[in-house]
């Protein structure tokens, strides 16, 4: 078994991104990301801390706008986003999800200017990603991180059976399309899938993004499969674990992502990559 060491690959990306950010500063541009948090979802607080730390590492200014759930509604949040769309000092806008239930997420995502959509969640950026790898631009960070880890390990996806478990707009759906566009034969499984293990057992590449500890056990995995575990779950004793039973699944896998230290660090590094990309998009004379 080989580890897909997201933490290590993320460090390599940071070295490059640091010099990109320094170059931009030399040209008088301070890259800036604004993160909007509504409410106090515990996982969101921890994700935001990682994004803030990564910004510091790279040299991106990171402003966090925090709002109480009861002081914000859909219309007010759209107004905040419109202000940031208009603000030339802001290059990236990230609305941390999930939002409180009374805020309508699709309208919020739609309000973000596509050229500042560093999460890659707007219909425009998702549409480009959908059409062809050639049009991928600001692509969703977790799927992009998965693709980068596979590339780093020289795992060719063309012709492979890729099975995705989870159909979220953030991970499952976009990673399915990205793998499809790279020539994999893709199966998308979800909570209504009748016989999950019949599908997972066929996978050459298995991506699991559900958020349920212990969902994937060794008997559900083919010998030699590449296993990408996107899940981040906290056990009763406070330990972070993925959706796969790492000890047993790792014995069958040819490659596997650890949790923590796999998809998480890559997601944040890809976010930083998108911020730098967004700066260039907004300053076409630079490149
Ligand atoms: N919540 C969980 N993952 C993500 C992500 O990648 N971006 C945002 N904005 N919210 C999330």
């Amino acid at each position: 078994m080989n580890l897909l060491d997201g933490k290590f690959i993320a460090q390599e990306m940071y070295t490059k991104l640091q010099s990109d950010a320094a170059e931009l500063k030399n040209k008088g541009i301070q890259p800036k990301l604004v993160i909007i948090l509504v409410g106090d979802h515990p996982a969101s607080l921890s994700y935001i801390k990682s994004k803030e730390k990564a910004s510091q590492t790279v040299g991106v200014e990171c402003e966090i706008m925090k709002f109480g759930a009861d002081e914000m509604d859909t219309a007010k949040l759209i107004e905040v986003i419109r202000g940031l769309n208009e603000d030339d000092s802001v290059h990236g806008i990230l609305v941390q999800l999930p939002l409180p239930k009374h805020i309508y997420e699709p309208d919020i995502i739609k309000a973000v200017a596509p050229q500042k959509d560093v999460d890659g969640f707007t219909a425009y950026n998702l549409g480009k990603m959908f059409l062809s790898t050639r049009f991928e631009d600001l692509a969703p960070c977790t799927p992009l991180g998965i693709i980068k880890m596979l590339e780093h390990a020289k795992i060719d996806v063309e012709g492979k059976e890729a099975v995705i478990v989870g159909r979220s707009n953030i991970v499952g759906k976009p990673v399915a399309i990205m793998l499809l566009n790279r020539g994999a034969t893709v199966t998308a499984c979800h909570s209504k899938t009748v016989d999950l293990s019949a599908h997972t057992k066929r996978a050459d590449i298995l991506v699991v993004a559900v958020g349920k500890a212990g969902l994937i056990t060794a008997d559900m995995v083919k010998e030699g499969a590449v296993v990408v575990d996107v899940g981040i779950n906290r056990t009763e004793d406070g330990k972070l674990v993925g959706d796969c039973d790492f000890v047993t699944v790792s014995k069958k896998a040819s490659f596997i992502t650890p949790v923590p230290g796999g998809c998480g660090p890559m997601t944040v590094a890809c976010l930083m990559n998108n911020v730098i990309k967004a700066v260039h998009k907004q300053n076409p004379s630079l490149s």
Side-chain angles (χ1 to χ4, degrees), residues 76-115:
K76 275 192 212 160
L77 190 50
I78 290 173
E79 275 315 301
V80 171
I81 293 167
R82 287 200 177 132
L84 296 170
N85 286 343
E86 297 294 312
D87 182 344
D88 287 342
S89 73
V90 175
H91 306 97
I93 303 169
L94 184 150
V95 182
Q96 189 63 35
L97 304 177
L99 287 165
K101 288 211 162 44
H102 67 278
I103 299 179
Y104 187 57
E105 240 167 59
D107 280 349
I108 299 304
I109 291 169
K110 195 166 132 193
V112 177
Q115 73 273 20

Coordinates of all heavy atoms in Angstrom, one line a residue, residues 76-115:
K76 N -30.0 39.9 2.5 CA -28.9 40.6 3.1 C -27.6 40.0 2.6 O -26.6 40.8 2.4 CB -29.0 40.6 4.6 CG -29.9 41.6 5.2 CD -29.7 41.6 6.7 CE -31.0 42.0 7.4 NZ -31.0 41.6 8.8
L77 N -27.5 38.7 2.6 CA -26.2 38.1 2.2 C -25.9 38.3 0.8 O -24.7 38.6 0.4 CB -26.3 36.5 2.5 CG -25.0 35.8 2.5 CD1 -23.9 36.4 3.2 CD2 -25.2 34.3 3.0
I78 N -26.9 38.4 -0.1 CA -26.7 38.7 -1.5 C -26.1 40.1 -1.6 O -25.2 40.4 -2.4 CB -28.0 38.5 -2.3 CG1 -28.3 37.0 -2.4 CG2 -27.8 39.2 -3.7 CD1 -29.6 36.7 -3.1
E79 N -26.6 41.0 -0.8 CA -26.1 42.4 -0.8 C -24.6 42.4 -0.4 O -23.8 43.2 -1.0 CB -26.9 43.3 0.2 CG -28.1 43.9 -0.4 CD -27.9 44.4 -1.9 OE1 -27.0 45.4 -2.0 OE2 -28.5 43.9 -2.8
V80 N -24.3 41.6 0.7 CA -22.9 41.6 1.1 C -22.0 41.1 0.0 O -20.9 41.7 -0.4 CB -22.7 40.6 2.3 CG1 -21.2 40.4 2.7 CG2 -23.4 41.2 3.5
I81 N -22.4 40.0 -0.7 CA -21.6 39.5 -1.8 C -21.5 40.5 -3.0 O -20.4 40.6 -3.6 CB -22.3 38.1 -2.3 CG1 -22.1 37.1 -1.2 CG2 -21.6 37.6 -3.6 CD1 -23.0 35.9 -1.4
R82 N -22.6 41.2 -3.3 CA -22.5 42.2 -4.4 C -21.5 43.2 -4.1 O -20.8 43.7 -5.0 CB -23.9 42.8 -4.6 CG -24.9 41.8 -5.2 CD -26.0 42.6 -5.9 NE -26.9 41.6 -6.6 CZ -28.2 41.5 -6.5 NH1 -28.9 42.4 -5.7 NH2 -28.8 40.6 -7.1
G83 N -21.4 43.6 -2.8 CA -20.4 44.6 -2.4 C -19.0 44.1 -2.7 O -18.1 44.8 -3.2
L84 N -18.8 42.8 -2.3 CA -17.4 42.2 -2.5 C -17.2 42.0 -4.0 O -16.0 42.1 -4.5 CB -17.4 40.9 -1.8 CG -17.5 40.9 -0.3 CD1 -17.7 39.5 0.3 CD2 -16.3 41.6 0.3
N85 N -18.2 41.7 -4.8 CA -18.0 41.6 -6.3 C -17.5 42.9 -6.9 O -16.7 42.9 -7.8 CB -19.4 41.3 -7.0 CG -19.8 39.8 -6.8 OD1 -19.1 39.0 -6.4 ND2 -21.1 39.6 -7.0
E86 N -18.0 44.0 -6.3 CA -17.6 45.3 -6.8 C -16.3 45.8 -6.3 O -15.7 46.8 -6.8 CB -18.7 46.4 -6.4 CG -20.1 46.1 -6.9 CD -20.1 46.3 -8.4 OE1 -19.6 47.3 -8.9 OE2 -20.6 45.4 -9.1
D87 N -15.7 45.2 -5.2 CA -14.5 45.7 -4.5 C -13.3 45.1 -5.2 O -13.0 43.9 -5.1 CB -14.6 45.2 -3.1 CG -13.4 45.7 -2.3 OD1 -12.4 46.2 -2.9 OD2 -13.5 45.7 -1.0
D88 N -12.6 46.0 -5.9 CA -11.4 45.6 -6.7 C -10.3 45.0 -5.8 O -9.4 44.3 -6.4 CB -10.8 46.7 -7.6 CG -11.8 47.0 -8.7 OD1 -12.6 46.2 -9.0 OD2 -11.7 48.2 -9.3
S89 N -10.3 45.3 -4.5 CA -9.2 44.8 -3.7 C -9.4 43.3 -3.3 O -8.6 42.7 -2.8 CB -9.0 45.6 -2.4 OG -10.1 45.4 -1.5
V90 N -10.6 42.8 -3.6 CA -11.0 41.4 -3.2 C -10.9 40.6 -4.5 O -11.6 40.8 -5.5 CB -12.4 41.4 -2.6 CG1 -12.9 39.9 -2.4 CG2 -12.5 42.2 -1.4
H91 N -10.1 39.5 -4.4 CA -10.0 38.6 -5.6 C -10.8 37.3 -5.5 O -11.1 36.7 -6.5 CB -8.5 38.3 -5.9 CG -7.7 39.5 -6.0 ND1 -6.9 40.0 -4.9 CD2 -7.5 40.4 -7.0 CE1 -6.3 41.1 -5.3 NE2 -6.6 41.4 -6.5
G92 N -11.0 36.9 -4.3 CA -11.7 35.6 -4.1 C -12.8 35.7 -3.0 O -12.6 36.4 -2.0
I93 N -14.0 35.2 -3.3 CA -15.1 35.2 -2.4 C -15.5 33.7 -2.1 O -15.7 33.0 -3.0 CB -16.3 35.9 -2.9 CG1 -15.9 37.4 -3.3 CG2 -17.4 35.9 -1.9 CD1 -17.0 38.1 -4.1
L94 N -15.5 33.4 -0.8 CA -15.8 32.0 -0.4 C -16.9 32.1 0.6 O -16.7 32.7 1.7 CB -14.6 31.3 0.1 CG -14.8 29.8 0.5 CD1 -13.4 29.1 0.3 CD2 -15.2 29.6 1.9
V95 N -18.1 31.5 0.3 CA -19.2 31.4 1.3 C -19.1 30.0 1.9 O -19.3 29.0 1.2 CB -20.5 31.6 0.7 CG1 -21.6 31.6 1.7 CG2 -20.6 33.0 -0.1
Q96 N -18.7 29.9 3.2 CA -18.6 28.6 3.8 C -19.9 27.9 3.9 O -20.9 28.5 4.4 CB -17.9 28.8 5.2 CG -17.5 27.5 5.9 CD -16.4 26.7 5.1 OE1 -15.5 27.3 4.5 NE2 -16.5 25.4 5.1
L97 N -20.0 26.7 3.5 CA -21.2 25.9 3.5 C -21.1 24.8 4.6 O -20.0 24.4 4.9 CB -21.4 25.2 2.2 CG -21.5 26.2 0.9 CD1 -21.7 25.4 -0.3 CD2 -22.6 27.2 1.1
P98 N -22.1 24.4 5.2 CA -23.5 24.7 4.9 C -23.9 26.0 5.5 O -23.4 26.5 6.5 CB -24.3 23.6 5.6 CG -23.4 23.1 6.8 CD -22.0 23.4 6.3
L99 N -24.9 26.7 4.9 CA -25.5 27.9 5.5 C -26.7 27.5 6.3 O -27.3 26.4 6.1 CB -26.0 28.8 4.3 CG -24.9 29.5 3.5 CD1 -25.4 30.1 2.2 CD2 -24.2 30.6 4.4
P100 N -27.1 28.4 7.3 CA -28.3 28.0 8.1 C -29.5 27.8 7.1 O -29.5 28.4 6.0 CB -28.5 29.3 8.9 CG -27.2 30.0 9.0 CD -26.5 29.6 7.7
K101 N -30.4 27.0 7.6 CA -31.5 26.5 6.7 C -32.4 27.6 6.1 O -32.9 27.5 5.0 CB -32.4 25.6 7.5 CG -31.7 24.2 7.7 CD -32.7 23.1 7.8 CE -32.0 21.7 7.6 NZ -30.8 21.5 8.3
H102 N -32.5 28.8 6.8 CA -33.3 29.9 6.4 C -32.7 30.7 5.2 O -33.3 31.5 4.6 CB -33.8 30.8 7.5 CG -32.6 31.6 8.1 ND1 -31.8 31.0 9.0 CD2 -32.2 32.8 7.9 CE1 -30.9 32.0 9.4 NE2 -31.1 33.1 8.7
I103 N -31.4 30.4 4.9 CA -30.8 31.0 3.8 C -30.7 30.1 2.6 O -30.4 28.9 2.7 CB -29.4 31.5 4.2 CG1 -29.5 32.5 5.4 CG2 -28.6 32.1 3.0 CD1 -28.2 33.0 5.9
Y104 N -31.2 30.6 1.4 CA -31.3 29.7 0.3 C -30.0 29.7 -0.5 O -29.6 30.6 -1.2 CB -32.5 30.3 -0.6 CG -32.8 29.4 -1.8 CD1 -33.2 28.0 -1.5 CD2 -32.7 29.8 -3.1 CE1 -33.5 27.2 -2.6 CE2 -33.0 29.0 -4.1 CZ -33.4 27.7 -3.9 OH -33.7 26.8 -4.9
E105 N -29.3 28.6 -0.3 CA -27.9 28.4 -0.8 C -27.8 28.7 -2.3 O -26.8 29.4 -2.7 CB -27.4 27.0 -0.5 CG -26.2 27.0 0.4 CD -25.9 25.6 1.0 OE1 -25.7 24.6 0.2 OE2 -25.8 25.5 2.2
P106 N -28.6 28.1 -3.2 CA -28.4 28.3 -4.6 C -28.4 29.8 -5.0 O -27.6 30.2 -5.9 CB -29.6 27.6 -5.3 CG -30.0 26.6 -4.3 CD -29.7 27.2 -2.9
D107 N -29.3 30.6 -4.4 CA -29.3 32.1 -4.7 C -28.0 32.7 -4.2 O -27.5 33.7 -4.8 CB -30.5 32.7 -4.0 CG -31.7 32.5 -4.9 OD1 -31.6 32.1 -6.0 OD2 -32.8 32.8 -4.3
I108 N -27.4 32.2 -3.1 CA -26.2 32.8 -2.6 C -25.0 32.5 -3.5 O -24.2 33.4 -3.9 CB -25.9 32.3 -1.2 CG1 -27.1 32.6 -0.2 CG2 -24.6 32.7 -0.6 CD1 -27.3 34.1 -0.1
I109 N -24.9 31.2 -3.9 CA -23.8 30.8 -4.8 C -23.9 31.6 -6.1 O -22.9 32.1 -6.7 CB -23.9 29.3 -5.1 CG1 -23.5 28.6 -3.7 CG2 -22.9 28.9 -6.2 CD1 -23.8 27.1 -3.7
K110 N -25.2 31.8 -6.6 CA -25.4 32.5 -7.9 C -24.9 33.9 -7.8 O -24.6 34.5 -8.8 CB -26.9 32.4 -8.2 CG -27.3 32.8 -9.6 CD -28.7 32.3 -9.8 CE -29.6 33.4 -10.4 NZ -31.0 33.2 -10.3
A111 N -25.0 34.5 -6.6 CA -24.6 35.9 -6.5 C -23.1 36.2 -6.6 O -22.7 37.3 -6.9 CB -25.1 36.4 -5.1
V112 N -22.3 35.2 -6.4 CA -20.8 35.3 -6.5 C -20.4 35.6 -7.9 O -20.7 34.8 -8.8 CB -20.1 34.1 -5.9 CG1 -18.6 34.3 -6.0 CG2 -20.5 33.9 -4.4
A113 N -19.6 36.6 -8.2 CA -19.1 36.8 -9.5 C -18.2 35.6 -9.9 O -17.3 35.3 -9.2 CB -18.3 38.1 -9.6
P114 N -18.5 35.0 -11.1 CA -17.7 33.8 -11.5 C -16.2 34.0 -11.4 O -15.5 33.1 -11.1 CB -18.2 33.6 -12.9 CG -19.6 34.1 -13.0 CD -19.5 35.3 -12.1
Q115 N -15.7 35.2 -11.8 CA -14.2 35.4 -11.8 C -13.6 35.5 -10.4 O -12.4 35.4 -10.2 CB -13.8 36.6 -12.6 CG -14.1 38.0 -12.1 CD -15.5 38.4 -12.4 OE1 -16.4 37.7 -12.8 NE2 -15.7 39.7 -12.3

